mmCIF file with all atom_site columns, all heavy atoms in Angstrom:
data_model
loop_
_atom_site.group_PDB
_atom_site.id
_atom_site.type_symbol
_atom_site.label_atom_id
_atom_site.label_alt_id
_atom_site.label_comp_id
_atom_site.label_asym_id
_atom_site.label_entity_id
_atom_site.label_seq_id
_atom_site.pdbx_PDB_ins_code
_atom_site.Cartn_x
_atom_site.Cartn_y
_atom_site.Cartn_z
_atom_site.occupancy
_atom_site.B_iso_or_equiv
_atom_site.pdbx_formal_charge
_atom_site.auth_seq_id
_atom_site.auth_comp_id
_atom_site.auth_asym_id
_atom_site.auth_atom_id
_atom_site.pdbx_PDB_model_num
ATOM 1  N N   . THR A 1 24  ? -10.197 6.838  -8.859  1.00 96.00 ? 24  THR A N   1
ATOM 2  C CA  . THR A 1 24  ? -10.576 7.338  -7.480  1.00 96.00 ? 24  THR A CA  1
ATOM 3  C C   . THR A 1 24  ? -11.165 6.234  -6.737  1.00 96.00 ? 24  THR A C   1
ATOM 4  O O   . THR A 1 24  ? -11.428 5.130  -7.239  1.00 96.00 ? 24  THR A O   1
ATOM 5  C CB  . THR A 1 24  ? -11.689 8.454  -7.666  1.00 96.00 ? 24  THR A CB  1
ATOM 6  O OG1 . THR A 1 24  ? -12.814 7.900  -8.149  1.00 96.00 ? 24  THR A OG1 1
ATOM 7  C CG2 . THR A 1 24  ? -11.200 9.594  -8.653  1.00 96.00 ? 24  THR A CG2 1
ATOM 8  N N   . ARG A 1 40  ? -10.826 39.214 -14.664 1.00 97.00 ? 40  ARG A N   1
ATOM 9  C CA  . ARG A 1 40  ? -10.658 40.096 -13.499 1.00 97.00 ? 40  ARG A CA  1
ATOM 10 C C   . ARG A 1 40  ? -11.316 41.427 -13.888 1.00 97.00 ? 40  ARG A C   1
ATOM 11 O O   . ARG A 1 40  ? -10.560 42.488 -14.041 1.00 97.00 ? 40  ARG A O   1
ATOM 12 C CB  . ARG A 1 40  ? -9.191  40.326 -13.247 1.00 97.00 ? 40  ARG A CB  1
ATOM 13 C CG  . ARG A 1 40  ? -8.427  38.990 -13.029 1.00 97.00 ? 40  ARG A CG  1
ATOM 14 C CD  . ARG A 1 40  ? -7.932  38.895 -11.664 1.00 97.00 ? 40  ARG A CD  1
ATOM 15 N NE  . ARG A 1 40  ? -7.135  37.589 -11.476 1.00 97.00 ? 40  ARG A NE  1
ATOM 16 C CZ  . ARG A 1 40  ? -7.044  36.967 -10.317 1.00 97.00 ? 40  ARG A CZ  1
ATOM 17 N NH1 . ARG A 1 40  ? -7.618  37.444 -9.296  1.00 97.00 ? 40  ARG A NH1 1
ATOM 18 N NH2 . ARG A 1 40  ? -6.338  35.873 -10.262 1.00 97.00 ? 40  ARG A NH2 1
ATOM 19 N N   . TYR A 1 42  ? -13.495 42.889 -12.121 1.00 98.00 ? 42  TYR A N   1
ATOM 20 C CA  . TYR A 1 42  ? -13.883 43.571 -10.899 1.00 98.00 ? 42  TYR A CA  1
ATOM 21 C C   . TYR A 1 42  ? -12.889 44.710 -10.582 1.00 98.00 ? 42  TYR A C   1
ATOM 22 O O   . TYR A 1 42  ? -11.875 44.793 -11.276 1.00 98.00 ? 42  TYR A O   1
ATOM 23 C CB  . TYR A 1 42  ? -13.939 42.598 -9.640  1.00 98.00 ? 42  TYR A CB  1
ATOM 24 C CG  . TYR A 1 42  ? -12.609 41.918 -9.457  1.00 98.00 ? 42  TYR A CG  1
ATOM 25 C CD1 . TYR A 1 42  ? -11.583 42.447 -8.602  1.00 98.00 ? 42  TYR A CD1 1
ATOM 26 C CD2 . TYR A 1 42  ? -12.433 40.660 -9.894  1.00 98.00 ? 42  TYR A CD2 1
ATOM 27 C CE1 . TYR A 1 42  ? -10.463 41.851 -8.311  1.00 98.00 ? 42  TYR A CE1 1
ATOM 28 C CE2 . TYR A 1 42  ? -11.154 39.933 -9.615  1.00 98.00 ? 42  TYR A CE2 1
ATOM 29 C CZ  . TYR A 1 42  ? -10.269 40.634 -8.838  1.00 98.00 ? 42  TYR A CZ  1
ATOM 30 O OH  . TYR A 1 42  ? -9.052  40.012 -8.627  1.00 98.00 ? 42  TYR A OH  1
ATOM 31 N N   . ARG A 1 215 ? -27.197 40.200 15.234  1.00 88.00 ? 215 ARG A N   1
ATOM 32 C CA  . ARG A 1 215 ? -25.763 40.631 15.464  1.00 88.00 ? 215 ARG A CA  1
ATOM 33 C C   . ARG A 1 215 ? -25.691 41.114 16.972  1.00 88.00 ? 215 ARG A C   1
ATOM 34 O O   . ARG A 1 215 ? -26.432 42.068 17.275  1.00 88.00 ? 215 ARG A O   1
ATOM 35 C CB  . ARG A 1 215 ? -25.302 41.541 14.458  1.00 88.00 ? 215 ARG A CB  1
ATOM 36 C CG  . ARG A 1 215 ? -23.810 41.781 14.526  1.00 88.00 ? 215 ARG A CG  1
ATOM 37 C CD  . ARG A 1 215 ? -23.344 42.709 13.485  1.00 88.00 ? 215 ARG A CD  1
ATOM 38 N NE  . ARG A 1 215 ? -22.094 43.355 14.000  1.00 88.00 ? 215 ARG A NE  1
ATOM 39 C CZ  . ARG A 1 215 ? -20.886 43.200 13.536  1.00 88.00 ? 215 ARG A CZ  1
ATOM 40 N NH1 . ARG A 1 215 ? -20.603 42.351 12.578  1.00 88.00 ? 215 ARG A NH1 1
ATOM 41 N NH2 . ARG A 1 215 ? -19.853 43.824 14.013  1.00 88.00 ? 215 ARG A NH2 1
ATOM 42 N N   . GLU A 1 217 ? -22.562 42.606 19.452  1.00 92.00 ? 217 GLU A N   1
ATOM 43 C CA  . GLU A 1 217 ? -21.176 43.016 19.531  1.00 92.00 ? 217 GLU A CA  1
ATOM 44 C C   . GLU A 1 217 ? -20.620 42.558 20.926  1.00 92.00 ? 217 GLU A C   1
ATOM 45 O O   . GLU A 1 217 ? -21.310 42.693 22.040  1.00 92.00 ? 217 GLU A O   1
ATOM 46 C CB  . GLU A 1 217 ? -20.986 44.504 19.391  1.00 92.00 ? 217 GLU A CB  1
ATOM 47 C CG  . GLU A 1 217 ? -21.074 44.915 17.919  1.00 92.00 ? 217 GLU A CG  1
ATOM 48 C CD  . GLU A 1 217 ? -22.480 45.034 17.442  1.00 92.00 ? 217 GLU A CD  1
ATOM 49 O OE1 . GLU A 1 217 ? -23.403 45.088 18.140  1.00 92.00 ? 217 GLU A OE1 1
ATOM 50 O OE2 . GLU A 1 217 ? -22.673 45.104 16.108  1.00 92.00 ? 217 GLU A OE2 1
ATOM 51 N N   . ARG B 2 217 ? -27.282 39.217 24.022  1.00 94.00 ? 217 ARG B N   1
ATOM 52 C CA  . ARG B 2 217 ? -26.040 39.721 24.557  1.00 94.00 ? 217 ARG B CA  1
ATOM 53 C C   . ARG B 2 217 ? -25.630 39.054 25.825  1.00 94.00 ? 217 ARG B C   1
ATOM 54 O O   . ARG B 2 217 ? -24.490 38.692 26.066  1.00 94.00 ? 217 ARG B O   1
ATOM 55 C CB  . ARG B 2 217 ? -26.291 41.179 24.872  1.00 94.00 ? 217 ARG B CB  1
ATOM 56 C CG  . ARG B 2 217 ? -24.978 41.904 25.213  1.00 94.00 ? 217 ARG B CG  1
ATOM 57 C CD  . ARG B 2 217 ? -24.973 43.315 25.404  1.00 94.00 ? 217 ARG B CD  1
ATOM 58 N NE  . ARG B 2 217 ? -23.735 43.749 25.901  1.00 94.00 ? 217 ARG B NE  1
ATOM 59 C CZ  . ARG B 2 217 ? -22.531 43.805 25.228  1.00 94.00 ? 217 ARG B CZ  1
ATOM 60 N NH1 . ARG B 2 217 ? -22.599 43.601 23.946  1.00 94.00 ? 217 ARG B NH1 1
ATOM 61 N NH2 . ARG B 2 217 ? -21.401 44.097 25.901  1.00 94.00 ? 217 ARG B NH2 1
ATOM 62 N N   . ASP B 2 285 ? -5.525  36.407 -4.904  1.00 98.00 ? 285 ASP B N   1
ATOM 63 C CA  . ASP B 2 285 ? -6.881  35.840 -5.151  1.00 98.00 ? 285 ASP B CA  1
ATOM 64 C C   . ASP B 2 285 ? -7.747  35.965 -3.917  1.00 98.00 ? 285 ASP B C   1
ATOM 65 O O   . ASP B 2 285 ? -9.043  35.881 -3.991  1.00 98.00 ? 285 ASP B O   1
ATOM 66 C CB  . ASP B 2 285 ? -6.834  34.406 -5.589  1.00 98.00 ? 285 ASP B CB  1
ATOM 67 C CG  . ASP B 2 285 ? -6.026  34.206 -6.932  1.00 98.00 ? 285 ASP B CG  1
ATOM 68 O OD1 . ASP B 2 285 ? -6.118  35.097 -7.724  1.00 98.00 ? 285 ASP B OD1 1
ATOM 69 O OD2 . ASP B 2 285 ? -5.391  33.202 -7.031  1.00 98.00 ? 285 ASP B OD2 1
ATOM 70 N N   . GLU B 2 287 ? -8.410  38.597 -2.583  1.00 98.00 ? 287 GLU B N   1
ATOM 71 C CA  . GLU B 2 287 ? -9.179  39.858 -2.698  1.00 98.00 ? 287 GLU B CA  1
ATOM 72 C C   . GLU B 2 287 ? -10.560 39.637 -3.292  1.00 98.00 ? 287 GLU B C   1
ATOM 73 O O   . GLU B 2 287 ? -11.491 40.377 -3.059  1.00 98.00 ? 287 GLU B O   1
ATOM 74 C CB  . GLU B 2 287 ? -8.409  40.938 -3.608  1.00 98.00 ? 287 GLU B CB  1
ATOM 75 C CG  . GLU B 2 287 ? -8.377  40.437 -5.077  1.00 98.00 ? 287 GLU B CG  1
ATOM 76 C CD  . GLU B 2 287 ? -7.406  41.222 -5.895  1.00 98.00 ? 287 GLU B CD  1
ATOM 77 O OE1 . GLU B 2 287 ? -6.416  41.897 -5.281  1.00 98.00 ? 287 GLU B OE1 1
ATOM 78 O OE2 . GLU B 2 287 ? -7.505  41.371 -7.194  1.00 98.00 ? 287 GLU B OE2 1
ATOM 79 N N   . GLU B 2 300 ? -22.440 40.707 6.153   1.00 96.00 ? 300 GLU B N   1
ATOM 80 C CA  . GLU B 2 300 ? -21.689 41.819 6.649   1.00 96.00 ? 300 GLU B CA  1
ATOM 81 C C   . GLU B 2 300 ? -20.742 42.164 5.497   1.00 96.00 ? 300 GLU B C   1
ATOM 82 O O   . GLU B 2 300 ? -20.328 41.415 4.671   1.00 96.00 ? 300 GLU B O   1
ATOM 83 C CB  . GLU B 2 300 ? -20.790 41.418 7.877   1.00 96.00 ? 300 GLU B CB  1
ATOM 84 C CG  . GLU B 2 300 ? -21.736 41.034 9.108   1.00 96.00 ? 300 GLU B CG  1
ATOM 85 C CD  . GLU B 2 300 ? -20.951 40.310 10.179  1.00 96.00 ? 300 GLU B CD  1
ATOM 86 O OE1 . GLU B 2 300 ? -20.295 39.320 9.852   1.00 96.00 ? 300 GLU B OE1 1
ATOM 87 O OE2 . GLU B 2 300 ? -20.954 40.701 11.393  1.00 96.00 ? 300 GLU B OE2 1
ATOM 88 N N   . ASP B 2 332 ? -13.610 11.687 -5.556  1.00 98.00 ? 332 ASP B N   1
ATOM 89 C CA  . ASP B 2 332 ? -14.706 11.149 -6.373  1.00 98.00 ? 332 ASP B CA  1
ATOM 90 C C   . ASP B 2 332 ? -15.604 12.223 -6.871  1.00 98.00 ? 332 ASP B C   1
ATOM 91 O O   . ASP B 2 332 ? -16.145 12.078 -8.048  1.00 98.00 ? 332 ASP B O   1
ATOM 92 C CB  . ASP B 2 332 ? -15.487 10.234 -5.408  1.00 98.00 ? 332 ASP B CB  1
ATOM 93 C CG  . ASP B 2 332 ? -14.817 8.876  -5.067  1.00 98.00 ? 332 ASP B CG  1
ATOM 94 O OD1 . ASP B 2 332 ? -14.195 8.419  -5.993  1.00 98.00 ? 332 ASP B OD1 1
ATOM 95 O OD2 . ASP B 2 332 ? -15.024 8.373  -3.974  1.00 98.00 ? 332 ASP B OD2 1
#
Side-chain angles (χ1 to χ4, degrees):
Chain A
T24 68
R40 306 246 183 205
Y42 58 86
R215 193 182 148 106
E217 281 80 14
Chain B
R217 191 178 167 74
D285 298 327
E287 73 193 20
E300 293 165 309
D332 286 326

